Amino acid sequence: MRTLNVLRPIGRFLLPLVVSMILLVLLWYGFLELYPQVGLVGKSPGDVWTYLVTGPTSGNARHVVFDEMRITLKDALIGFGAGLGAALAVAALFIGVPAVAQAFMPVAMLLRSVPLVAITPIIVLVFGRGLLGVTVMAAIVVFFPALVIIMTGLRSAPRQATELVVAYGGSHWTALRMVAIPAALPSVFAAARISVPGALIGALLGEWLGSGKGLGAGLIRAIPTFQYNRLWASIALVTVVSVVAYAVVGVLENLVLARFAPQRGRD
C-alpha cells in the first residue's frame, strides 16, 4: 500500500510529460505542414528518425551527435550543480543575514537583467574557453531564478517552529538548518526543475560562444554546411533530454517529499 502511495504521484507527474511529448511531435508535423516554404531546411520527426536510426549513415550520425551530446550533458550537469548549490548557499545567507540581502539582492537582480550573450565575452576573457567558462555560463542561467524561488521557500518556514528552536537555545542558523531548509524542500525541487532546461541552454550558449565543443558548437557548424538533418536531430535530442531530465527531477521530488513531507508529496 505504501509503495502504491509513492508510485501514484510519480505516475501523475510522468503522464502529462508523455502527453506533452506526443503533442510536441504533432506540433512539429503541423508546423511543417503550415509552413511548406521552409523547404529542404525543415525536417520532420521521420527524417530525424531515419538520420539517426534507420538510414545508411545512421551509425556515424549517432556517433557524432551523441558524442557532442555527452559533452553538453557534462557541461550542463556541472553548471546545474554549481548554480543550484550557489543559489541555496546565497539564499541561506540572505535569509540568515537580512542586511546582506538588502545590500546585494538589487545588484543580483540588476545582473540578471543583463543578457548573457552581452557578458559572454567578459566571461570568456576571465574564465577562458574551456570547461570552467562553460560551467560559469550554465551556472549563471541556473543561479538567479533558483535564488528567488529558494528564498521564497525559506521565508515560508513556520514561524512558531523557528521561534521554538531559538527559545531552546538554538541559533538562527540552527533554526535555518532544522526548520527552514526542510520546509523549503518543495521550493528547492521547483527551482531544480526550472533550472534543468536553463542549464542545458547555458551550456549550449557557452559551447557556441566559448569552448567550440559539444552540441552548441555542432549546431552552429551544421547551418553553414547545410547539414539540416544533423541540425534538427540535435535540436530534437536536446528537447528529449530536457524533458527526461525534468521528469527525473520530478520523480526524485515526489520520492523525497513522500518520505519527508507526505502531504506535499500528494499535492
Side-chain angles (χ1 to χ4, degrees), residues 9-259:
I10 294 175
R12 286 204 305 266
F13 184 85
L14 290 179
L15 181 60
L17 290 178
V18 174
V19 174
S20 297
M21 290 295 294
I22 295 172
L23 289 176
L24 185 62
V25 172
L26 294 177
L27 288 172
W28 187 349
Y29 275 114
F31 171 79
L32 295 177
E33 288 293 328
L34 287 173
Y35 298 96
Q37 60 267 32
V38 297
L40 295 176
V41 176
K43 301 298 178 182
S44 69
D47 295 327
V48 170
W49 180 264
T50 301
Y51 176 73
L52 289 177
V53 181
T54 61
T57 61
S58 58
N60 182 64
R62 284 196 305 272
H63 175 74
V64 172
V65 174
F66 282 31
D67 277 356
E68 291 178 342
M69 188 73 240
R70 276 193 290 270
I71 296 173
T72 299
L73 280 177
K74 181 186 71 173
D75 295 340
L77 182 61
I78 297 173
F80 172 80
L84 193 64
L88 183 57
V90 173
L93 176 63
F94 282 1
I95 295 298
V97 187
V100 176
Q102 293 172 5
F104 289 99
M105 195 63 179
V107 178
M109 293 300 99
L110 179 63
L111 292 174
R112 177 65 182 90
S113 66
V114 179
L116 188 58
V117 175
I119 63 174
T120 295
I122 299 175
I123 295 174
V124 171
L125 182 64
V126 174
F127 298 100
R129 292 182 173 272
L131 177 61
L132 181 59
V134 178
T135 298
V136 169
M137 279 188 271
I140 288 174
V141 175
V142 171
F143 174 79
F144 291 104
L147 175 64
V148 174
I149 295 172
I150 293 173
M151 283 189 65
T152 302
L154 291 174
R155 284 171 174 159
S156 66
R159 182 179 297 273
Q160 294 85 351
T162 302
E163 293 175 348
L164 181 63
V165 172
V166 175
Y168 274 90
S171 66
H172 287 287
W173 294 108
T174 302
L176 182 70
R177 177 173 56 86
M178 297 183 64
V179 178
I181 291 178
L185 278 177
S187 296
V188 173
F189 278 107
R193 279 190 277 115
I194 292 174
S195 300
V196 165
L200 277 168
I201 292 171
L204 291 171
L205 184 61
E207 291 166 353
W208 167 35
L209 299 174
S211 70
K213 300 178 181 178
L215 208 60
L219 286 167
I220 300 304
R221 286 195 295 265
I223 296 174
T225 55
F226 307 104
Q227 300 181 62
Y228 298 122
N229 279 316
R230 177 181 173 183
L231 176 67
W232 284 81
S234 299
I235 295 172
L237 185 60
V238 169
T239 303
V240 171
V241 169
S242 297
V243 172
V244 171
Y246 182 91
V248 169
V249 175
V251 169
L252 290 175
E253 176 183 8
N254 279 281
L255 291 174
V256 171
L257 295 186
R259 172 65 178 85

